[in-house]
Amino acid sequence: MLVVVVTNVPPRLRGRLAAWLVEIRAGVYVGSYSRRTREMIWEQVLLGLGPEGDAVMVWHVPNDQGYEFRTAGHNRRMPVDFDGLKLVAFRPE
């Protein structure tokens, strides 16, 4: 399972994501792809993000948490590693 959530992105990126994934809610895309395709989708997200956009991608992996994620753009939340677990920290405003 793969989930991509985007906010404040150009319509062109939303259209590109809709070509590969199902938009189940505004800015929320889901699908099931291989690692290689997932990385290609993330590259497209990074290229099309725009100056004000932000994105997060979450996918299933066989680790203690059961998932992995990446973030990009202007968001107060940022991933941090805490003893092998990936958690989310808030940047100060």
Side-chain angles (χ1 to χ4, degrees):
M1 175 66 81
L2 170 68
V3 179
V4 178
V5 180
V6 295
T7 53
N8 298 324
V9 297
R12 180 177 177 179
L13 176 58
R14 294 179 63 129
R16 298 225 7 117
L17 289 172
W20 299 301
L21 305 164
V22 175
E23 187 173 13
I24 60 171
R25 208 165 244 207
V28 180
Y29 300 85
V30 298
S32 182
Y33 286 101
S34 68
R35 178 191 57 81
R36 184 174 178 184
T37 304
R38 181 182 73 236
E39 289 174 359
M40 182 273 304
I41 291 171
W42 185 246
E43 287 176 21
Q44 294 298 313
V45 168
L46 295 177
L47 289 172
L49 202 55
E52 298 297 320
D54 63 78
V56 62
M57 177 184 276
V58 184
W59 64 95
H60 171 75
V61 293
N63 64 12
D64 289 340
Q65 287 180 295
Y67 62 89
E68 181 68 50
F69 66 95
R70 294 179 180 173
T71 63
H74 297 288
N75 193 328
R76 288 192 54 220
R77 294 170 179 88
M78 54 189 209
V80 294
D81 186 279
F82 185 76
D83 289 338
L85 294 176
K86 196 176 238 186
L87 303 176
V88 176
F90 286 90
R91 285 185 234 170
E93 288 190 45

